Amino acid sequence: MVGKIKQQHERTFDGKVVMVTGAAAGIGRAAALAFGRAGACVVVADTSVDGGHATAAMIVEAGGKALFVQANVARAAEVEALVDKTVAYYGRLDCAFNNAGIEEESQPLADCEEALFDRIIDVNVKGAWLCMKYQIRQMLKQEGGGAIVNTASVAGLVGAPTQAVYSASKHAVVGMTKTAAAEYGHAGIRINSVCPGVINTAMLTRALVREPSREKRLKHLHPIGRFGEVSEIANAALWLCSDQASFVTGHQLTVDGGLTAI
């Protein structure tokens, strides 16, 4: 049923420490809750204090373990501190879902302002790079390697008219994911990305408020006939981090209702 995607996660993450960025709402919150239900100790990271605390509280109320850390992924000192706090609190870092990102663009490339370009690249590209940098450094120090999933997008696989900068940022995430996977596979660190289609999130709501006529056209692009749900992306991230995906690295898992199939 649309809007009520059933989730069934065995406690496959018992004893694992998982970091989720952009976890105050949307896909990040859905993933943090799913990791918690699967038995993980979850580090909830976001710039939003209220939203982050709320997500952590939801995990605890459901019987899980969670720690909220306020962090801006575009700032190196804050990302380093985020990883340090994770290790100080839980002792290690096994998995990370680097989901924090922004989309504030809906205009032709030639009309985009430099400040907007810098803001999108700062969060989506630099943020993913900084997270991987400090997460990988920690995983190299400990036994057992680790698993990292980055949120890319179908806009990182194909062009996205009126979203040139966002598309460029997600293409960069795909490129970094492949490269990091090749560099650190020998150390037992698997690195993949998930590439969502159009998902029911606040980001989508904002886009449709700016341009309501897009809704019908966007749904038509998905052969499955609807937008995706945050739980469906969360399920994909959990699988990529799980032992079931033990031979999967450098992969871009497209979860798009068939959008890129045609």
Side-chain angles (χ1 to χ4, degrees):
M1 178 181 292
V2 177
K4 294 184 179 180
I5 304 300
K6 192 173 183 181
Q7 297 188 53
Q8 292 182 332
H9 299 302
E10 297 178 1
R11 295 184 66 83
T12 51
F13 286 86
D14 272 338
K16 300 287 188 181
V17 178
V18 180
M19 176 188 296
V20 181
T21 69
I27 292 170
R29 171 173 283 178
L33 293 171
F35 276 116
R37 286 191 296 271
C41 299
V42 185
V43 177
V44 175
D46 206 291
T47 56
S48 170
V49 174
D50 290 343
H53 277 304
T55 298
M58 291 175 188
I59 295 170
V60 173
E61 288 169 5
K65 298 179 181 179
L67 168 70
F68 169 64
V69 179
Q70 183 181 16
N72 182 338
V73 298
R75 296 177 181 173
E78 294 189 29
V79 177
E80 184 176 19
L82 169 62
V83 174
D84 288 344
K85 289 176 182 177
T86 297
V87 176
Y89 197 82
Y90 286 125
R92 60 186 291 114
L93 175 64
D94 297 292
C95 306
F97 181 31
N98 297 323
N99 171 72
I102 59 173
E103 181 276 306
E104 302 175 356
E105 181 189 15
S106 183
Q107 55 194 333
L109 183 149
D111 295 335
C112 184
E113 297 294 333
E114 185 176 0
L116 177 60
F117 178 96
D118 290 343
R119 188 158 63 248
I120 292 173
I121 297 299
D122 209 32
V123 176
N124 294 1
V125 181
K126 184 180 178 182
W129 168 67
L130 286 172
C131 285
M132 284 195 289
K133 175 179 179 178
Y134 291 106
Q135 290 158 357
I136 290 169
R137 285 184 177 182
Q138 173 56 36
M139 290 175 179
L140 290 172
K141 296 177 185 178
Q142 60 193 36
E143 294 183 1
I148 296 172
V149 176
N150 299 313
T151 296
S153 169
V154 292
L157 304 174
V158 297
T162 73
Q163 293 184 310
V165 182
Y166 179 77
S167 180
S169 75
K170 293 304 184 178
H171 274 77
V173 170
V174 168
M176 287 193 296
T177 297
K178 291 179 179 179
T179 301
E183 289 179 344
Y184 296 101
H186 72 279
I189 301 173
R190 296 187 301 103
I191 305 170
N192 297 286
S193 78
V194 61
C195 298
V198 181
I199 309 299
N200 274 320
T201 63
M203 185 182 291
L204 174 62
T205 299
R206 289 193 298 269
L208 294 181
V209 166
R210 291 194 300 265
E211 194 178 344
S213 62
R214 293 178 67 190
E215 181 170 3
K216 184 177 180 180
R217 177 168 55 85
L218 287 173
K219 280 187 177 179
H220 183 69
L221 292 175
H222 298 71
I224 206 167
R226 62 174 175 85
F227 296 142
E229 299 298 327
V230 292
S231 59
E232 293 173 302
I233 307 306
N235 289 340
L238 260 71
W239 182 77
L240 287 171
C241 283
S242 76
D243 291 340
Q244 293 179 358
S246 57
F247 200 54
V248 180
T249 194
H251 178 63
Q252 322 317 311
L253 180 56
T254 306
V255 187
D256 68 351
L259 187 152
T260 55
I262 55 175

